[in-house]
Amino acid sequence: DVKVTQSSRYLVKRTGEKVFLECVQDMDHENMFWYRQDPGLGLRLIYFSYDVKMKEKGDIPEGYSVSREKKERFSLILESASTNQTSMYLCASSLGGAGSPLHFGNGTRLTVT
Amino acid sequence: DQQVKQNSPSLSVQEGRISILNCDYTNSMFDYFLWYKKYPAEGPTFLISISSIKDKNEDGRFTVFLNKSAKHLSLHIVPSQPGDSAVYFCAHINTNAGKSTFGDGTTLTVKP
């Protein structure tokens, strides 16, 4: 089974702090994704990556950046955390190809105070 | 761009009965739709998918139906079980772009 591991289940940070969310997958998947989930808004794509050192903006990239230095690891960075970035953050990976499903981690609940 | 809408935020059914979750989309061009299930404090897990060349796909108690003329798909769960209580997301995969677009989700509650 594919395992996607997010380093923290819960984080509490202060406004203005730089925040790193880490994600590791163990199945040699090409594609990795960061989503945030908010009540009534479903899952919204922040950034994704097809390969090492490659990144693409999703639907809501403002205030975020990403890093993919190794194939198995995809980091989400909040440059200067704000209260409207309080959310559940979900990392996912996929093999790629037609109909290839996403495999999600268990999420990081980030609270910015 | 594809938009995916799940217009029912919640659904409650009795154990043993059928659950029907609905999803509408806007763009006729698509490759695949997928359904995911999400329990609290866990990430979504893949449930079942359907490609644009099919009208139906079945996997055990789960069946997805596609109505291309209405731009509508539905997930049927028969018989429903209390363990099916979860949030269900409909998602479109843009195979060329490689990204998925999700609906807002429907919370299913199956009462014993």
Side-chain angles (χ1 to χ4, degrees):
Chain A
D1 272 357
V2 176
K3 192 165 179 65
V4 179
T5 303
Q6 295 183 232
S7 55
S8 303
R9 291 302 300 270
Y10 300 95
L11 276 178
V12 180
K13 297 292 181 181
R14 291 189 181 276
T15 300
E17 278 192 79
K18 191 169 186 175
V19 181
F20 293 86
L21 302 183
E22 307 287 347
C23 175
V24 177
Q25 51 96 2
D26 67 356
M27 283 301 291
D28 202 35
H29 281 175
E30 300 290 334
N31 303 335
M32 296 190 75
F33 306 82
W34 277 105
Y35 286 86
R36 63 178 280 178
Q37 182 193 3
D38 300 288
L41 296 177
L43 277 69
R44 294 181 291 165
L45 181 63
I46 305 171
Y47 267 96
F48 59 109
S49 169
Y50 293 129
D51 202 350
V52 175
K53 297 192 184 295
M54 293 186 67
K55 60 184 179 183
E56 297 283 343
K57 291 181 179 179
D59 300 318
I60 52 164
E62 296 78 19
Y64 303 94
S65 62
V66 290
S67 173
R68 194 167 181 200
E69 296 296 320
K70 294 184 178 182
K71 191 175 186 179
E72 67 271 19
R73 186 179 295 271
F74 192 35
S75 303
L76 180 69
I77 304 155
L78 285 66
E79 298 291 343
S80 177
S82 64
T83 55
N84 63 13
Q85 292 177 311
T86 292
S87 186
M88 169 67 81
Y89 289 88
L90 292 160
C91 175
S93 71
S94 75
L95 191 57
S100 179
L102 300 179
H103 299 265
F104 284 89
N106 282 333
T108 297
R109 170 70 68 184
L110 173 67
T111 302
V112 182
T113 62
Chain B
D1 273 1
Q2 185 69 268
Q3 291 189 36
V4 178
K5 297 290 184 184
Q6 294 177 256
N7 293 316
S8 298
S10 62
L11 175 67
S12 180
V13 299
Q14 285 295 130
E15 181 178 6
R17 305 293 292 269
I18 185 171
S19 297
I20 301 176
L21 298 107
N22 296 302
C23 181
D24 296 306
Y25 59 94
T26 56
N27 192 327
S28 298
M29 302 296 293
F30 74 91
D31 293 320
Y32 283 85
F33 276 99
L34 286 72
W35 284 93
Y36 292 84
K37 178 170 73 173
K38 184 183 184 301
Y39 293 119
E42 295 183 12
T45 55
F46 168 67
L47 198 54
I48 191 170
S49 65
I50 190 164
S51 74
S52 58
I53 62 172
K54 290 188 173 183
D55 296 323
K56 175 183 172 181
N57 190 28
E58 187 173 358
D59 184 1
R61 296 185 298 114
F62 302 91
T63 304
V64 56
F65 295 92
L66 175 62
N67 182 334
K68 287 187 276 290
S69 62
K71 297 181 185 176
H72 178 83
L73 64 157
S74 59
L75 174 68
H76 293 211
I77 307 174
V78 183
S80 301
Q81 300 172 354
D84 296 329
S85 297
V87 180
Y88 289 79
F89 292 99
C90 171
H92 163 258
I93 285 188
N94 182 323
T95 302
N96 288 336
K99 63 178 189 177
S100 297
T101 302
F102 285 78
D104 293 346
T106 297
T107 301
L108 173 66
T109 303
V110 180
K111 298 179 178 178

